[in-house]
Amino acid sequence: MGGFIDNIGQGIESLEVRLTVNNLFDEDYASTIAPDAFWIGAPRAVAVNARLTF
Amino acid sequence: MKNTTRYNLLSLSVLAALASPTYAQEPSQTAPSAEEIEEITVVGRSVSYANNASSDEMQKQQANLSSVLAVVDNLPGVLINEGDTFGADDWSTSIVIRGFQVNLNEQQIGMTVDGIANGNSNYGGGAKANRYIDTENMQGVEVSQGTADIASRSHEALGGTINFTTLNPGMEQKLVTSFTAGEFDASKYYVRYETGEIFKDTYAWVSMSSQESTDFIDQSAENTRDHVALKFISTLSNIDFTGYVSYDDTHEDNYQRIYGLAQYEQNPDWDQLTSEWTGVPYQDQAYRRGWSTLRENLFAYLQADFSVGDVDVSTNVYYHNNEGRGDWVPPYLVDVKADGDNVGHSELVNGNTVFGGSALGQLYFVNADGQALSPIDGCQSSITFPYGGAGAQYDPACHEQGAIPVGSYRHTHYEKSRIGFNADAIWYTKIGDYDNTLRFGLWWEDYTRDESRDWHKITDSKIGFAFNNTPYWVQYDRTFPVDTLMYYVEDELDLGVARVRLGAKQFNVDIAKDDNFDADNDLNVNSDSDVLLSAGVVAPLFVDGLEVFAGYGENFAAIKDAQLERDDADLRFIEPETAENIDLGLRYSSPGFNASLTYYTIEFNDRIQFTSNETSSGIDFLEAAAGGYRNVGGIESSGVEISADITLTDNLSVFTSLTFSSSEYVETIGGTGTQYASLESALAAIADDTNPESSLVAVKGNTVIGTPDTMGVISLDWSKDNYFAGLSTKYVDSRYLDIYNASEVEDYLVSEFLCGWFY
């Protein structure tokens, strides 16, 4: 992979790829509380980030 | 002389450039501030009050789309809840620390950006840190759970302060690009250009980002955010200058609260907002895209740091403008002008606007001539949603053929302009053989908040929520000028066996309301604090790296301008909130193992609570304020916070935090403000038809709504060569929904996972 980075351009300083999974096990839960009420907690969410530095 | 704080920015840049990153968050290092040099570990700086800082690993746990607020959720004592997956809903966001809360009802925790006041954290006119800082531009976050630093700039820091810091420019020219894609149609484009040295000893970056996402309920929300920022550092004639400008433009469609466990059990996946426009105004009041938060924030500061002899001086000036709108879609037009009999209502004609006044009635259906129609006599409405159903006046089936439904798009406009000035001085000297540090400073801020509400006719309620540009009614228009002056002095003497500090601070706060329609509603209130004392001691113990600390601090929150909103606001019965914090703890720091343990106790007096106009039976759209405020007695909070950061191997580390907390109401208080000796006597007063008491706002000995007794976090972080991964799990205990502690939501365990590769 490093060779791939070297080949696609000398100007590229770094590449990072990151996967995040929030609420991995998709737990049902209450989020913010208000008097006699609450909000539903966010379910599982997957996101992928790619950062390229030149 | 205490040299650790005397670095200039360039030397800090060199230090940072020599440092080796754990893994490459930013391969080309940036210049940390002097304070950041002292923030060695996540378990806190060596001061006499509890504090913790975020780590790179905590930042990496969150997607770049997420708001900066989520980063501190793992720290002891802290609970961040955001209704949206990526934090794109200020309406449903809350922070809890030691029983103190920031949410729609209360703002009791201070928030600063690079040490500068954020201008309060409330929904209408406030701005949390995510409006000032893009996630990729954040250096870190420091949480002071209780006493906090004496110099903290906040009107709201009853329960401590959260300071978010921005990334400093790097020394080398480079371009950082980032793309993030996530569930719920989420995407974010980000680019930052680092200039390197553009002029002698001058470095800068400029960044831009654009993101969008939808909600997790039915994917009907259209959330967008654009953010532009610039920062520079420069050294000129031994003065270090730092400048920062950010512009943030956000549109968020909201989530609605769940009214109690029965509703949740009926359907735990729906917040009872809708994705489709039905053409029936009563049902379309729950249309998600009509529940919106729009905000634009422009923030800028210029800071100068320099030394005069043995005195370090830091000064800055700042400007902040916050403009925004909160939207709802009331299922009627308000009749605000007496147009006479047998003529069409002028509210339906685009271009007519009534300024001020009060509602004469409501229009639900009209005929082609614009005259109000009544429902068919004896008709029973078949509408069952929302809020349990509606009367016949809302139901098209209860009107003759040809009846035209009408509705409103209600905008509450917020605007706030702040200018401020900060000055801090640190004088290093000696008293006898002992190092002495004298700090003093002031914070001045002048802000004006404007709030107005206008009602627009929905152009055609049968087909969609597009509205006429000209409002038919401007319900109110108010200006709130607020002047703040805070000044403090603190002395710390290093006796060798211990560092002892003693400090005092005071706030002078003048708040006014100018009703731009009716001067009879104008109000003025002076909300000065007493002299607030703080003291502390830090002493090294017999084990190298181990220290004991103890701190006492008196915190203060001024009466807020929002508390003057209601025309019937009676300020005679509103007192500023105060809190007395005591921290006692141990802190251990060594290579590979850092830990802290803090016991705290807090007495919180004159708590001010907001009473919303939004209830399970519907929304009072016509109330000319978001709700009402009143003092509702005190809270006692105590607990233990533990955190540890351990390097297990060269590749594996673990962070853990534990929080055991008890936050209880100390009095039984009725809605009239009456204090009762017992719950029984309060309930007897409610049952007495001759007594005006109808509800309670606090019950002595019961746990404070929304505060968990126990929280725990364990995070494992692994890195090897070019790979990294992490798994973090947080436990949050059950929380009560009501002051009677009769209803509670279940405890939960939520885990976050990350993995990645870099080159």
Side-chain angles (χ1 to χ4, degrees):
Chain A
M1 194 69 180
F4 168 73
I5 298 299
D6 290 338
N7 290 334
I8 60 174
Q10 290 186 339
I12 296 177
E13 182 181 303
S14 66
L15 169 66
E16 181 187 283
V17 180
R18 178 167 50 103
L19 173 83
T20 54
V21 186
N22 296 120
N23 194 356
L24 177 65
F25 301 109
D26 208 17
E27 170 89 352
D28 288 335
Y29 69 101
S31 177
T32 288
I33 303 284
D36 300 313
F38 60 93
W39 276 264
I40 298 171
R44 177 170 50 221
V46 178
V48 179
N49 171 258
R51 188 177 61 228
L52 203 54
T53 303
F54 300 90
Chain B
M1 175 95 33
K2 186 180 178 183
N3 291 321
T4 51
T5 57
R6 303 298 299 272
Y7 300 109
N8 64 30
L9 287 173
L10 282 182
S11 61
L12 287 169
S13 299
V14 172
L15 280 173
L18 293 172
S20 298
T22 306
Y23 45 73
Q25 166 122 15
E26 291 292 340
S28 177
Q29 289 72 38
T30 59
S33 68
E35 289 74 15
E36 287 153 11
I37 287 292
E38 290 189 290
E39 287 171 17
I40 299 169
T41 72
V42 68
V43 299
R45 292 184 292 128
S46 175
V47 291
S48 62
Y49 51 85
N51 71 99
N52 292 88
S54 67
S55 65
D56 285 351
E57 290 80 3
M58 291 173 190
Q59 289 184 237
K60 280 182 175 287
Q61 280 174 21
Q62 304 301 326
N64 291 34
L65 288 150
S66 301
S67 90
V68 294
L69 302 177
V71 167
V72 292
D73 190 42
N74 282 356
L75 298 180
V78 181
L79 175 61
I80 307 288
N81 278 130
E82 297 181 284
D84 180 63
T85 306
F86 302 112
D89 185 27
D90 193 65
W91 183 253
S92 58
T93 294
S94 67
I95 306 169
V96 180
I97 300 177
R98 295 184 174 181
F100 292 88
Q101 308 195 39
V102 170
N103 52 36
L104 284 177
N105 304 342
E106 297 165 307
Q107 294 83 43
Q108 299 158 345
I109 299 165
M111 197 174 285
T112 53
V113 176
D114 285 339
I116 294 172
N118 74 327
N120 300 348
S121 299
N122 55 314
Y123 172 82
K128 299 180 182 71
N130 54 320
R131 306 295 195 214
Y132 298 86
I133 306 179
D134 214 346
T135 305
E136 291 88 343
N137 293 342
M138 187 172 72
Q139 175 71 41
V141 192
E142 185 185 11
V143 177
S144 301
Q145 286 89 342
T147 303
D149 187 85
I150 193 167
S152 297
R153 268 68 174 171
S154 177
H155 286 120
E156 302 179 323
L158 283 165
T161 300
I162 309 175
N163 183 38
F164 294 78
T165 55
T166 56
L167 202 64
N168 274 335
M171 301 183 71
E172 297 175 3
Q173 178 179 245
K174 65 179 178 179
L175 185 69
V176 180
T177 62
S178 168
F179 173 68
T180 308
E183 288 189 83
F184 310 116
D185 301 330
S187 65
K188 181 175 184 178
Y189 302 88
Y190 169 88
V191 61
R192 183 177 77 243
Y193 174 62
E194 300 261 4
T195 64
E197 187 172 31
I198 39 175
F199 306 110
K200 186 174 184 301
D201 299 336
T202 301
Y203 305 82
W205 57 250
V206 59
S207 77
M208 287 178 279
S209 72
S210 181
Q211 70 183 77
E212 60 184 30
S213 61
T214 188
D215 63 280
F216 62 79
I217 301 284
D218 54 23
Q219 290 78 62
S220 61
E222 296 188 3
N223 304 320
T224 62
R225 181 191 187 214
D226 297 309
H227 191 96
V228 180
L230 179 151
K231 188 172 185 181
F232 74 87
I233 56 174
S234 181
T235 300
L236 190 66
S237 300
N238 293 321
I239 301 176
D240 294 329
F241 290 97
T242 306
Y244 179 71
V245 182
S246 67
Y247 169 75
D248 189 275
D249 185 356
T250 299
H251 179 124
E252 300 170 346
D253 292 332
N254 306 149
Y255 296 82
Q256 185 177 206
R257 67 192 77 186
I258 303 296
Y259 289 103
L261 299 175
Q263 182 185 328
Y264 186 66
E265 287 162 6
Q266 183 185 17
N267 188 341
D269 300 319
W270 186 35
D271 65 350
Q272 306 220 356
L273 293 185
T274 60
S275 59
E276 301 294 332
W277 188 263
T278 66
V280 179
Y282 187 82
Q283 294 170 339
D284 290 333
Q285 68 176 310
Y287 184 57
R288 187 180 309 279
R289 291 194 56 204
W291 286 52
S292 299
T293 299
L294 289 71
R295 297 288 186 274
E296 286 181 74
N297 281 276
L298 174 65
F299 173 63
Y301 72 79
L302 178 64
Q303 180 163 313
D305 296 280
F306 54 93
S307 297
V308 179
D310 289 336
V311 181
D312 286 348
V313 179
S314 179
T315 65
N316 63 57
V317 292
Y318 63 91
Y319 170 78
H320 175 216
N321 183 258
N322 172 0
E323 283 184 52
R325 218 177 75 192
D327 295 350
W328 264 337
V329 276
Y332 50 78
L333 285 180
V334 186
D335 184 5
V336 287
K337 185 176 180 184
D339 295 299
D341 296 333
N342 301 319
V343 295
H345 280 276
S346 60
E347 293 82 3
L348 282 83
V349 180
N350 188 34
N352 293 332
T353 305
V354 172
F355 293 90
S358 55
L360 304 174
Q362 296 167 14
L363 312 174
Y364 309 99
F365 288 85
V366 297
N367 61 23
D369 295 327
Q371 295 167 334
L373 298 176
S374 298
I376 297 166
D377 282 346
C379 182
Q380 295 289 316
S381 172
S382 61
I383 293 176
T384 59
F385 172 86
Y387 307 120
Q393 72 273 26
Y394 288 104
D395 193 339
C398 284
H399 289 78
E400 301 289 356
Q401 192 173 11
I404 301 167
V406 291
S408 299
Y409 208 119
R410 202 196 79 171
H411 297 165
T412 305
H413 295 272
Y414 305 104
E415 181 168 4
K416 192 179 209 174
S417 287
R418 300 189 293 138
I419 57 170
F421 171 75
N422 292 299
D424 299 274
I426 307 175
W427 180 24
Y428 302 102
T429 184
K430 280 188 175 292
I431 295 179
D433 293 332
Y434 303 119
D435 289 334
N436 189 71
T437 305
L438 180 68
R439 300 171 62 203
F440 52 95
L442 63 85
W443 167 40
W444 171 82
E445 182 179 271
D446 183 334
Y447 82 69
T448 301
R449 185 172 80 86
D450 293 298
E451 183 175 317
S452 64
R453 176 170 296 163
D454 51 33
W455 295 64
H456 299 250
K457 180 185 179 297
I458 289 184
T459 304
D460 187 338
S461 290
K462 280 186 177 175
I463 61 169
F465 72 136
F467 55 88
N468 292 349
N469 191 48
T470 305
Y472 66 87
W473 186 28
V474 180
Q475 186 178 4
Y476 63 81
D477 186 349
R478 303 164 183 148
T479 301
F480 301 89
V482 177
D483 289 329
T484 299
L485 179 64
M486 185 276 279
Y487 38 91
Y488 71 91
V489 61
E490 181 188 78
D491 191 76
E492 182 178 276
L493 186 62
D494 189 347
L495 298 169
V497 295
R499 288 181 283 129
V500 181
R501 70 174 174 87
L502 181 65
K505 70 193 288 189
Q506 189 164 25
F507 289 85
N508 296 336
V509 183
D510 294 317
I511 307 169
K513 176 175 82 170
D514 298 332
D515 189 320
N516 298 321
F517 289 160
D518 185 354
D520 288 344
N521 292 325
D522 287 357
L523 290 168
N524 260 296
V525 61
N526 179 294
S527 186
D528 296 349
S529 74
D530 296 331
V531 174
L532 306 168
L533 300 176
S534 63
V537 59
V538 182
L541 294 180
F542 45 87
V543 176
D544 191 31
L546 182 65
E547 64 183 21
V548 61
F549 64 92
Y552 168 81
E554 296 173 345
N555 289 356
F556 166 84
I559 293 173
K560 298 175 177 64
D561 59 56
Q563 290 151 13
L564 279 61
E565 281 184 358
R566 284 175 79 117
D567 291 337
D568 60 356
D570 191 341
L571 301 173
R572 291 174 302 168
F573 301 114
I574 299 182
E575 295 289 331
E577 298 167 294
T578 58
E580 295 177 16
N581 295 255
I582 295 173
D583 286 356
L584 180 63
L586 293 167
R587 193 180 288 121
Y588 177 71
S589 182
S590 70
F593 180 65
N594 300 289
S596 68
L597 182 152
T598 305
Y599 167 78
Y600 68 88
T601 178
I602 305 171
E603 188 175 313
F604 176 16
N605 299 309
D606 295 319
R607 188 169 59 99
I608 296 175
Q609 188 171 14
F610 171 83
T611 306
S612 173
N613 297 323
E614 187 188 0
T615 69
S616 60
S617 58
I619 300 168
D620 181 1
F621 293 109
L622 285 165
E623 173 56 55
Y629 291 84
R630 54 194 163 191
N631 289 111
V632 291
I635 287 174
E636 283 183 355
S637 186
S638 62
V640 173
E641 295 161 349
I642 302 167
S643 64
D645 184 19
I646 307 161
T647 302
L648 299 175
T649 70
D650 288 345
N651 306 113
L652 190 63
S653 65
V654 60
F655 169 79
T656 185
S657 71
L658 282 170
T659 304
F660 304 99
S661 174
S662 171
S663 299
E664 295 180 348
Y665 302 109
V666 296
E667 293 146 348
T668 298
I669 304 282
T672 60
T674 306
Q675 182 176 339
Y676 295 94
S678 65
L679 177 59
E680 289 70 26
S681 60
L683 294 175
I686 292 172
D688 181 354
D689 291 339
T690 64
N691 193 313
E693 199 68 85
S694 61
S695 63
L696 300 183
V697 291
V699 175
K700 182 179 180 179
N702 282 3
T703 298
V704 174
I705 290 173
T707 60
D709 284 350
T710 308
M711 292 191 291
V713 172
I714 184 160
S715 301
L716 284 169
D717 290 287
W718 170 86
S719 65
K720 186 175 184 183
D721 300 329
N722 292 34
Y723 300 90
F724 58 89
L727 179 65
S728 179
T729 298
K730 176 160 187 165
Y731 170 76
V732 177
D733 208 345
S734 57
R735 292 163 292 163
Y736 288 110
L737 297 176
D738 62 335
I739 57 166
Y740 298 99
N741 287 179
S743 178
E744 63 181 335
V745 295
E746 292 181 356
D747 57 351
Y748 67 82
L749 270 173
V750 168
S751 297
E752 325 281 1
F753 172 77
L754 74 95
C755 64
W757 169 89
F758 69 89
Y759 177 77

